[in-house]
Structure formats: C-alpha cells, structure tokens
Amino acid sequence: MNVLSSPAVQPECARRGRRKEARPGELLDAALDLFVEKGFAATRVDEVAARAGVSKGTLFLYFPSKEDLFKAVVRKNIAGRFAEWDLELESYAGTSSELVQYCFQSWWDRVGSTKAAGLSRLMLSEANNFPEIAEFYRREVVAPGHQLIRRILQRGMDRGELRPLDLDHAVYLVLAPLMFLSFAQPSPSVCILEPAHFSPETYIRLQADNVLQGLCVRPT
Amino acid sequence: MNVLSSPAVQPECARRGRRKEARPGELLDAALDLFVEKGFAATRVDEVAARAGVSKGTLFLYFPSKEDLFKAVVRKNIAGRFAEWDLELESYAGTSSELVQYCFQSWWDRVGSTKAAGLSRLMLSEANNFPEIAEFYRREVVAPGHQLIRRILQRGMDRGELRPLDLDHAVYLVLAPLMFLSFAQPSPSVCILEPAHFSPETYIRLQADNVLQGLCVRPT
Amino acid sequence: MNVLSSPAVQPECARRGRRKEARPGELLDAALDLFVEKGFAATRVDEVAARAGVSKGTLFLYFPSKEDLFKAVVRKNIAGRFAEWDLELESYAGTSSELVQYCFQSWWDRVGSTKAAGLSRLMLSEANNFPEIAEFYRREVVAPGHQLIRRILQRGMDRGELRPLDLDHAVYLVLAPLMFLSFAQPSPSVCILEPAHFSPETYIRLQADNVLQGLCVRPT
Amino acid sequence: MNVLSSPAVQPECARRGRRKEARPGELLDAALDLFVEKGFAATRVDEVAARAGVSKGTLFLYFPSKEDLFKAVVRKNIAGRFAEWDLELESYAGTSSELVQYCFQSWWDRVGSTKAAGLSRLMLSEANNFPEIAEFYRREVVAPGHQLIRRILQRGMDRGELRPLDLDHAVYLVLAPLMFLSFAQPSPSVCILEPAHFSPETYIRLQADNVLQGLCVRPT
DNA sequence: AATGAATGAGTGTTCATTCAT
DNA sequence: AATGAATGAACACTCATTCAT
C-alpha cells in the first residue's frame, strides 16, 4: 500500500476499501438498468446484486428493502435534481420562448436521453400494484416536475410573453410531448412506427417550436 | 335434461349450453378487465377464472398458458376499426383545422375514454416480454394509426392549409398528446398531478387548439 | 375402478377422495407434533407438510399462514373443548371436594397426558415474539381455563363447602400444579429430578388431595 | 497509555484497559438480559454485541458461536447458592411450618423476583436443543433444589410435624407453585389472566399457607 | 367438458458466521 | 484485539400449471 505496490495487486488491496464507498452507487446503477429493462416487480434483487458484483445479503446491507432500493434509484436519477433545476429557472434571464426551448432541450439532455427516462414508463405499469412507491413518485417527481412547468408558464404570463393559460391543463402542453418520448424509451416499438426514421433531437425541437406557436402572444 | 325438464330448471340447462360456447369470450372479457387494471404479472389466473365464473382448470382448457391468454386478449380487442376511420377521413369535407379537431375529439370518444385505452399502456409495459404480440400490435394498431395521422397532415399540406411538415416527426405532434392521455388511464396518479382539477375533454380541446396554432399556415 | 378392483389399488383410488377431507386433520396432527417438539418459530412449514405427506403448497391451501395453522392446532386440541367442559361443570352433582378431584383427574386424562400439554410450554417461550398468537391463546385458552376454575371454587364457596377465597390468587392453587406438569412435558428433565421414580397419576392425586386440605371447610 | 497521559484522557485509556478484560463479562450480562427477554432463537447476536458496546465481530472473538455464548451465560449465572441455603437449613431452629413458609418467602426474595427466574423458563424451552446444558442445569440447579426441599420435608417427618409423605412426589407440592411463578416471569400474560389483579407476594403466602394445611399433622 | 386438489419452483428478507484490514 | 463489510443458507408464502376424477 505504499509507492512500491505493484499496480497488479493495488486494485485487489484497494478494492475492499474503495468498494465500501462505491457499493451503493454500483448497486444503484445495476438497479436502474434492471428496473428500466424489466419493471419493478419482475426485477429480482439477486440479479441486481449479481450485476453489481455482490451477494444478495450485501444489497440489503445498504438498502433495507427492494422498495427502498427503487426509491434511491429514483432519487439519484431524477428526484434529487429538481433543486438544481429550480435554481436554474429562478436565475434564467432570457425570454419565455427561449426558456421553453431550453426546458425541452435540457430535459432531453439530462433525462430523456438517459436510462432514467425509462423510470416513467415503469411507474405507469407498477403504480397500481405498489401504492407506496406511486405515492413517493408523485411526491418526489410528478409534483416538482409539474410545479417547474407551472412556474415557467406563470413567469411567461407575468411577463406578458405568454397568453393567459388554464395552468391545470396547459402544463400538459409541455409535459405530454416529453412524457410520450419518455414512455417510448428504451423500446420505442409500440410508440414510434419507424425508429430508424426518428430522431429524438428533431422531435424535441419540433415539439418545442410547435407548442410555442400556440403559447406565445405573438407567434415567432 | 330432456323434454320433461321442468321450466324452472330449463333456463339453468340452457344457460349451461349457451355458456359452454361463450366461455372463451367471457374469459377474454374478464382477462381484459384485469390485465388493464393490474397489468400482466399482477393479474392472477384464479381471479380471471373466478370473474368469468369458471374454475381455474377450465381456463387452462381454453388457453394453454397465461401468456396465450394475454395474446388472445390483445388479438380480440385490437381489431380493425381503422377501415371505418379511413373511410371517414377520405370523405371528410371540412378544413384541415376542423379535421384535426374532429380527430382529437373522436379519438377521445371512441378510444381514449374506453377500456381500449388501457390496452395501450399494457402493451407499453409488456412489449419487451411479448415481442410477438408487440409486432402484432405494431402492425394492427400502431401502423394504421400513424398512417391515418400522416394522411390527415398530408391532406392539409396538399390543400395549402398546413405548413410544410417533416411527417416522420410531425405525426407525433398529434399522437403524443393522445397517447399521453391514453397511458395515463385508468390510474392517472403518476401522470396527472391533481386529477380532481383535470378534465380530459378540456385537455383534448386545449391540445387540439394549441397544436393547430403551430400547424396551420394562418393561425385561426 | 369397478367391483373387480383389487383391494390393493382401491386405497390408491380412494386416497384422493378420502384425503381431501382428511388433509386438515393430518396436517393438524403433524403440526401439533412438531410445534410441541420444536416450538413455533423453529418448526418449518415444509416439515409439517412433509410429515402429513403433502407438499408445502397444500398446507397453505388449508391454512392461510403458519400462525393460522398454529391457532387451528390450539383450537382443535384445547380451546374447542371448553364448551364441553363448561357444560360438564354445570351439570355436576357431587361435592366440591369430588369436583376438584375430578377436575384434576380429567385434566390429566384429557390434556395433561396428551401431546396437547406441550402447547402450554410452547406459549411460554413464544409469547413475547408472537404477540398475536399470545393474545389468541390468552383469549381462547387462558381465559376459559381460569374462568372454569373460578366457577368451581365459587360454587364451592356458595355451597359452603370451601372456605372464603381470594379468587384472583386462589385459582392458582389449582392451576399451578397442573401447569407445572404441563410445562414439564414432554421432556421433564429440567423440572422432574428423577422421571423414573415419578408417576404423573400419583402426582395428580397427591396434589388434588393436598390442595383440598387447605381449601375445604372441614379437612377430610 | 503511560505516565505522561494527561488526566483528561486517562480515564478514557483506563476504561479501555479495564474494558478489555471486562468484555466477556459485559457480553454475558447483555446476553443474559436478552436471552431471558426474548428467548434464544429470537435474540440476535448483533443486539447482544451492541448492548455490550462492542461490534459483532468482537463477540465471536470471545465466543465461537451463539450456542457457546448461551452455554457461557447459563454456566455463569447458575452458580452454587445452594451451599449457603443448605447451611441455613441445617441451622434452622423453628418449626416445619415456619420453615416451609420461610422457604417460600426467601425463594421469592432471592430467586423468583430476580432475573434468575427467567433462566428457568429459558432452560425449559431450550433443554431439548442443548442437552449438555440441560444436564448441567439438572446437576447444578434441579438436583440441589430437589434435595433441599426433600430435606425440609424429611426433617418435618422426623420431627413428627409433617405427615408421612411419598417424597418423590411430595417435593412438587412445594416446587410446583414456585416453578409456576418462575415460568410466568417476566411476561405473565400466558399464565396469569389478569396480571393487574395479581400480587406475587400474596400468591406466595397463599400457596405456602395452603400447602401447609395438607402437609402438617395438625393444621395450624 | 369441467373441476379443484395438489404441486414446486421461485421471491424478498434475515442473520449467524467469516475474514481482510 | 477489534472491526464491520460481506456472505449465503434458510424460510414463509405465492401462483401458474397439472391431472385424477
């Protein structure tokens, strides 16, 4: 463990120590993959542990239950990032039109194009069977997400850049296109007819442009 | 069970006879309800059988496995209503703007507000596990649906009422809002923040109006 | 399967039918043996099922949980018999002295000398860890047992055959000797010093005689 | 850890030092508490270690297994207080009646009301699983206890104060009430119907008085 | 054709025990 | 000596599927 340690044994020695702190992250990564691929119920904790290279018992050392593991996955990949996004919104200086475009684009960059996008579809199927998880997801993801969009639209109305809107329904002008793309991940087969001709980036731009035609006081 | 049967028991016997042939249909109906409500994995075959009024053994008499039951449910319920809709479209006489509005509205009336909407969400979750069914669904539902929208948009462009559109992505300007609503049914909790303040009809109208602002050459 | 069926295959055929009704009883017998031998927590449901000659799944067909199985065992072997004993007491015509003797004796004949006696010791160890079972046992066994003894003593006082007694403590003049013997079953090693010199029947008679010396108005 | 240690840290160091040697004892004390409270199986070694203020690994440093810990607990706590009691008996000057009363009372004061009473119940439950310990308990506790009672009764017969007794069974006239109370501790719920109305002291007096009515040549 | 009793593989979770540090 | 991260065997309970009747 000194300067002379050969690189070959270093990892072996360090693994223990390094692992200890890396474990939760490795488990969360493995869990995200499997949850997104198979759904919550169909994902076996053994498999998550195996993919993270540990035993089943170790998983329960870090997460007291499968549900808690799932919550941690959601928190790490989505829920925990709203604080940052909210701040970003508050300090945003551009027009509402630019803000909405930015919103679409950065949702895609940070969520839609990542594995985390698959979590939305997951919730769709499992919400009925796991009410506690559904409630958690509503509180930690759905609510902040809705509020974020509402604030964007409200800001636009306040600044006179957007038409007067019924926010209870207008939020979905923004959310529906994003969620649709989210639900289509990672296997778009039942949503997108010809994935080969489909570019998410083009989709995102088109949706943003189009919704703005309707939202803005003066169509750009 | 012969001519001497008293009238009192006759119906009993007759029902039996009728039942025997109606069994598969009753099972499929029960299965549709439960699959849509709980998802594939969480639906127990006992419950399907019970709801159809037969024993679990009988179900396996008609469907060799739960998977086959699922396939049969999907096959039965996603039949071709598209032929009729295609005809309707061809003979439509109004403006594109009216046509799109009509399209949103009648989708909600005929699909979105019915049990069939639940099947979309089902397919979304199970497509990975039933590639064969997914392919079937793509062929019988996704493809005709996309084509229908494409024709509507193409018609609009041909008539000079809609702007020039990249159809491969523009179809989703119409589809995304509809599918989002479909996936949110029947348990909107993880999509809609406050279902109590949400009216599907208002949503449909707002989405149609808004998308048209972007699509039309001259905003109405 | 007709009149010519050899007796050898008859049981094979009949087993299905006969079993169906005999199963719960067979399971309860197996469960009683194992619960008494190993305790509640240490008894494996697989083992109970195996001893009854069925699979684990079959056990859960008849008893929804291990706790319910245990309750059924207690009900069959003790709790369900108080009704009969209460009746017996009401119609008893002899003196209180005879009644107490009869009580000791028939407790031994019907409970103390059977495997059911082991259930008391079981509860002693498991009560803390399974509060629901403990509560059930209190309600179904402890309470009726105490009441039965109280009524016997009260009857004796009413008839002027027994001295005035503080029933809250006097019940244990009768219960303690019986329970001690119960706790000593089926392995008396830590209660009885020399089991070889110990006769439960003699013990029962001696305890009954002795307690009566104190209870009766005129020592016999 | 030497003379230079500042007074402030001295106690810290000293405690460590003292602790190191006291560890096994602290572990045994913690284990006694927990075993008595929860039983052997339900007691978790983590909890024992935590209560003793050490890690789980440390426990296994001193005791190779949970079973060995249990054995050590029993061995430590069931020491010979009988020598003292035997002496007390030999020099006792009062009547047999007084002696028996004294015996009941001091058993309660010195054993029944202490944690040691819980050990009896522990042994009762675990005797099957730890025959070696059971044998030890028989030799060190059961046998001396029985002998002590036998001598008391023999003394009474010799002095003409007690009736002629079959000692093999008569010992239990004294032992059964005491053991019943012992087993009922510390959670009397499955033995005592209404603990709120129950006073161990009253119980002890009543049992002593009553048994003497039967034992004595002339009822006092 | 219809039943429903029986099965047994599979799942999340616990906990005594090990061992590298 | 002491730690605590890691293990893996064990266990109650579920449910799709089978099959004798």
Side-chain angles (χ1 to χ4, degrees):
Chain A
M1 211 65 76
N2 55 28
V3 198
L4 296 178
S5 299
S6 79
V9 304
Q10 182 105 39
E12 185 52 35
C13 301
R15 190 168 299 151
R16 279 260 155 186
R18 232 186 295 146
R19 275 274 171 95
K20 179 172 20 175
E21 285 164 16
R23 288 268 197 260
E26 291 168 8
L27 283 162
L28 288 173
D29 291 344
L32 174 62
D33 286 358
L34 287 165
F35 281 145
V36 166
E37 183 188 344
K38 311 186 149 193
F40 177 76
T43 294
R44 320 273 154 239
V45 293
D46 319 48
E47 215 177 337
V48 174
R51 184 174 293 214
V54 300
S55 77
K56 194 165 34 165
T58 302
L59 186 152
F60 284 96
L61 214 57
Y62 292 99
F63 304 97
S65 76
K66 192 186 181 185
E67 289 205 5
D68 286 289
L69 172 63
F70 181 78
K71 289 181 186 174
V73 167
V74 171
R75 233 178 244 121
K76 176 182 178 182
N77 289 285
I78 316 189
R81 305 169 61 183
F82 278 106
E84 176 199 344
W85 298 338
D86 286 346
L87 278 180
E88 221 173 317
L89 168 59
E90 274 179 36
S91 61
Y92 195 85
T95 67
S96 287
S97 185
E98 286 160 358
L99 177 52
V100 168
Q101 306 244 26
Y102 178 74
C103 170
F104 271 73
Q105 190 58 47
S106 53
W107 176 86
W108 169 252
D109 292 340
R110 303 175 190 180
V111 180
S113 63
T114 73
K115 264 177 301 201
L119 289 173
S120 311
R121 193 183 65 184
L122 200 172
M123 287 309 308
L124 225 43
S125 349
E126 314 278 12
N128 277 321
N129 304 117
F130 301 92
E132 199 193 320
I133 290 187
E135 186 47 38
F136 166 81
Y137 190 80
R138 276 179 57 75
R139 199 180 341 112
E140 304 273 327
V141 178
V142 180
H146 276 66
Q147 299 304 346
L148 188 61
I149 309 293
R150 283 181 89 107
R151 273 200 297 274
I152 290 175
L153 299 182
Q154 187 65 54
R155 174 184 182 276
M157 292 192 286
D158 292 347
R159 295 167 54 126
E161 293 166 340
L162 300 187
R163 311 180 167 196
L165 296 164
D166 164 9
L167 283 185
D168 282 329
H169 297 90
V171 280
Y172 302 107
L173 294 175
V174 174
L175 276 175
L178 302 184
M179 288 299 100
F180 174 79
L181 192 50
S182 206
F183 295 155
Q185 305 284 60
S187 52
S189 69
V190 295
C191 288
I192 311 293
L193 184 55
E194 295 194 73
H197 296 177
F198 181 82
S199 150
E201 286 82 3
T202 306
Y203 169 93
I204 284 290
R205 266 194 310 274
L206 179 61
Q207 292 278 4
D209 287 347
N210 205 78
V211 75
L212 281 171
Q213 303 278 349
L215 289 177
C216 292
V217 168
R218 300 253 153 82
T220 49
Chain B
M1 213 71 72
N2 53 27
V3 200
L4 294 178
S5 301
S6 77
V9 303
Q10 184 100 41
E12 183 52 35
C13 300
R15 194 174 303 147
R16 273 254 154 192
R18 243 185 290 134
R19 271 268 169 108
K20 195 183 298 195
E21 284 163 17
R23 285 280 151 77
E26 290 170 6
L27 282 163
L28 289 173
D29 290 345
L32 172 63
D33 287 356
L34 288 166
F35 280 148
V36 165
E37 184 188 345
K38 312 183 148 193
F40 176 75
T43 295
R44 271 168 293 115
V45 294
D46 315 51
E47 215 177 335
V48 174
R51 186 177 289 215
V54 301
S55 77
K56 194 167 31 167
T58 304
L59 186 152
F60 282 93
L61 220 55
Y62 291 102
F63 305 97
S65 78
K66 192 187 182 185
E67 294 201 3
D68 288 289
L69 173 65
F70 178 77
K71 292 181 185 176
V73 166
V74 174
R75 273 194 243 273
K76 175 183 175 184
N77 288 282
I78 310 181
R81 287 192 290 218
F82 283 103
E84 174 199 348
W85 296 340
D86 286 348
L87 279 179
E88 226 175 318
L89 168 58
E90 276 178 33
S91 61
Y92 195 85
T95 66
S96 286
S97 185
E98 286 162 358
L99 178 51
V100 168
Q101 306 243 27
Y102 177 75
C103 171
F104 271 73
Q105 190 59 51
S106 50
W107 174 86
W108 170 250
D109 294 339
R110 302 179 193 178
V111 180
S113 63
T114 73
K115 226 163 18 185
L119 273 177
S120 310
R121 197 182 63 182
L122 241 193
M123 285 310 311
L124 203 56
S125 332
E126 304 298 343
N128 279 324
N129 304 114
F130 299 93
E132 189 192 343
I133 291 286
E135 186 45 39
F136 173 83
Y137 185 80
R138 278 176 56 74
R139 200 180 338 114
E140 304 280 326
V141 178
V142 180
H146 276 65
Q147 298 305 344
L148 188 60
I149 309 293
R150 283 180 90 106
R151 273 200 298 276
I152 290 174
L153 298 182
Q154 187 64 55
R155 174 184 181 274
M157 290 192 285
D158 293 346
R159 294 169 54 130
E161 292 167 340
L162 301 187
R163 310 178 167 199
L165 296 163
D166 164 9
L167 284 185
D168 281 330
H169 298 91
V171 281
Y172 301 108
L173 293 174
V174 174
L175 275 175
L178 303 184
M179 289 300 98
F180 175 80
L181 192 51
S182 199
F183 295 153
Q185 304 284 75
S187 56
S189 71
V190 294
C191 288
I192 313 292
L193 184 55
E194 295 195 70
H197 295 177
F198 182 83
S199 149
E201 287 81 6
T202 305
Y203 169 92
I204 285 289
R205 264 195 312 273
L206 179 62
Q207 292 278 4
D209 286 349
N210 206 78
V211 75
L212 282 172
Q213 303 277 351
L215 290 177
C216 293
V217 167
R218 299 255 154 76
T220 47
Chain C
M1 214 71 70
N2 53 26
V3 200
L4 296 178
S5 299
S6 78
V9 303
Q10 185 102 38
E12 184 53 34
C13 302
R15 190 169 299 153
R16 280 257 154 187
R18 232 186 295 144
R19 276 271 170 98
K20 180 174 17 177
E21 285 164 16
R23 287 269 197 261
E26 291 169 7
L27 282 161
L28 288 173
D29 290 345
L32 174 61
D33 285 359
L34 288 165
F35 281 144
V36 165
E37 183 188 344
K38 311 185 149 194
F40 177 75
T43 294
R44 321 273 155 235
V45 293
D46 318 49
E47 215 178 338
V48 174
R51 185 175 291 213
V54 299
S55 76
K56 191 168 32 168
T58 302
L59 186 152
F60 285 96
L61 215 57
Y62 292 99
F63 304 97
S65 75
K66 192 186 181 185
E67 288 205 7
D68 287 288
L69 173 64
F70 181 78
K71 289 181 186 174
V73 167
V74 171
R75 234 178 243 119
K76 177 183 178 183
N77 291 284
I78 314 188
R81 304 169 61 183
F82 278 106
E84 174 199 346
W85 297 338
D86 285 346
L87 279 180
E88 220 174 317
L89 168 58
E90 275 180 33
S91 61
Y92 195 86
T95 67
S96 287
S97 185
E98 287 161 358
L99 177 52
V100 167
Q101 306 245 24
Y102 178 74
C103 170
F104 271 73
Q105 189 59 49
S106 50
W107 175 86
W108 169 251
D109 293 339
R110 302 177 190 178
V111 179
S113 64
T114 73
K115 263 175 302 202
L119 290 173
S120 310
R121 194 183 62 183
L122 199 173
M123 287 309 311
L124 224 42
S125 347
E126 313 278 12
N128 276 322
N129 304 116
F130 300 92
E132 198 193 319
I133 290 187
E135 185 46 37
F136 166 82
Y137 190 80
R138 276 180 56 76
R139 200 182 338 116
E140 305 272 329
V141 178
V142 179
H146 276 66
Q147 299 304 347
L148 187 60
I149 309 293
R150 282 182 91 105
R151 273 201 297 275
I152 290 175
L153 299 183
Q154 187 64 55
R155 174 184 183 273
M157 290 192 287
D158 292 346
R159 294 166 55 128
E161 292 167 340
L162 300 188
R163 309 179 167 199
L165 297 164
D166 164 10
L167 282 186
D168 282 328
H169 297 90
V171 280
Y172 301 107
L173 293 173
V174 174
L175 275 176
L178 303 185
M179 288 302 97
F180 175 80
L181 192 49
S182 208
F183 296 154
Q185 305 286 61
S187 53
S189 69
V190 295
C191 288
I192 311 293
L193 185 55
E194 295 196 71
H197 295 178
F198 182 82
S199 150
E201 288 82 4
T202 305
Y203 169 93
I204 284 290
R205 265 196 310 274
L206 178 61
Q207 291 278 5
D209 286 348
N210 205 77
V211 76
L212 281 171
Q213 303 279 348
L215 289 176
C216 292
V217 168
R218 300 255 156 79
T220 48
Chain D
M1 212 74 71
N2 53 30
V3 200
L4 296 175
S5 301
S6 78
V9 303
Q10 181 102 42
E12 183 53 34
C13 298
R15 194 175 300 144
R16 275 254 152 191
R18 244 184 291 131
R19 271 268 169 106
K20 198 184 294 194
E21 283 162 20
R23 284 283 152 76
E26 290 170 7
L27 282 162
L28 289 172
D29 290 345
L32 172 62
D33 286 356
L34 288 165
F35 281 147
V36 164
E37 183 188 346
K38 312 185 148 191
F40 176 75
T43 295
R44 269 166 296 116
V45 293
D46 315 50
E47 216 177 335
V48 174
R51 186 176 289 214
V54 300
S55 77
K56 194 162 36 163
T58 303
L59 186 151
F60 282 93
L61 219 55
Y62 291 103
F63 306 96
S65 76
K66 193 186 181 186
E67 293 201 3
D68 288 288
L69 173 65
F70 178 77
K71 292 181 186 177
V73 165
V74 175
R75 272 194 244 273
K76 174 183 176 185
N77 288 284
I78 311 181
R81 288 194 288 220
F82 283 103
E84 171 200 349
W85 296 339
D86 285 348
L87 278 180
E88 225 174 318
L89 168 58
E90 274 179 36
S91 61
Y92 195 85
T95 67
S96 287
S97 185
E98 286 161 359
L99 177 52
V100 167
Q101 306 243 27
Y102 177 74
C103 169
F104 270 74
Q105 191 58 51
S106 49
W107 174 86
W108 170 250
D109 293 340
R110 302 178 193 178
V111 180
S113 63
T114 74
K115 223 162 23 181
L119 272 178
S120 310
R121 197 182 64 182
L122 242 195
M123 285 310 310
L124 201 57
S125 329
E126 305 297 343
N128 279 324
N129 304 114
F130 300 92
E132 187 193 341
I133 291 288
E135 186 46 38
F136 174 83
Y137 184 79
R138 277 176 57 75
R139 199 176 342 110
E140 303 282 325
V141 179
V142 181
H146 276 65
Q147 299 305 344
L148 187 61
I149 309 293
R150 282 180 90 106
R151 272 200 298 277
I152 290 175
L153 299 181
Q154 187 65 55
R155 174 184 181 274
M157 291 192 286
D158 293 347
R159 293 165 57 127
E161 292 167 340
L162 300 188
R163 312 178 166 200
L165 296 164
D166 163 9
L167 282 186
D168 282 328
H169 297 91
V171 279
Y172 301 108
L173 293 174
V174 174
L175 275 176
L178 302 184
M179 288 300 99
F180 174 80
L181 190 52
S182 199
F183 295 153
Q185 304 284 72
S187 55
S189 71
V190 295
C191 288
I192 312 293
L193 185 54
E194 295 194 70
H197 295 178
F198 182 82
S199 150
E201 287 81 5
T202 306
Y203 168 93
I204 285 290
R205 265 194 311 274
L206 179 62
Q207 292 278 3
D209 286 349
N210 206 77
V211 74
L212 282 172
Q213 303 278 350
L215 290 176
C216 293
V217 168
R218 298 255 153 79
T220 49

